[in-house]
Amino acid sequence: GQAVFQLPVGVSTPVAVALFFLPLLLHVVTAAISALGARKSTRAYLLALGTAIVVHVAYNLGVLSYAFV
């Protein structure tokens, strides 16, 4: 049961903590971007949603490129 709480080889504690909290931060930021656009108009919301999607895709690509280095 303790194997679940061990860090993978080569991953430091700060990196593990960052990888744990970064998804939360990502979703807070993308939700805020969308919400700010929604406050103005439908067009602004669609632009903000597109921006949030681009931010999310960039994050995903960054995480995947780090995972497969």
Side-chain angles (χ1 to χ4, degrees):
Q2 290 190 6
V4 172
F5 299 107
Q6 294 179 356
L7 293 176
V9 175
V11 176
S12 66
T13 301
V15 171
V17 170
L19 289 174
F20 181 78
F21 283 108
L22 281 177
L24 174 63
L25 179 62
L26 167 73
H27 289 95
V28 167
V29 168
T30 54
I33 291 170
S34 298
L36 289 173
R39 290 177 56 187
K40 299 197 182 267
S41 66
T42 302
R43 183 174 186 275
Y45 169 67
L46 292 174
L47 288 171
L49 180 62
T51 302
I53 290 170
V54 169
V55 169
H56 204 297
V57 168
Y59 170 86
N60 288 345
L61 290 174
V63 169
L64 287 176
S65 66
Y66 177 79
F68 293 110
V69 169

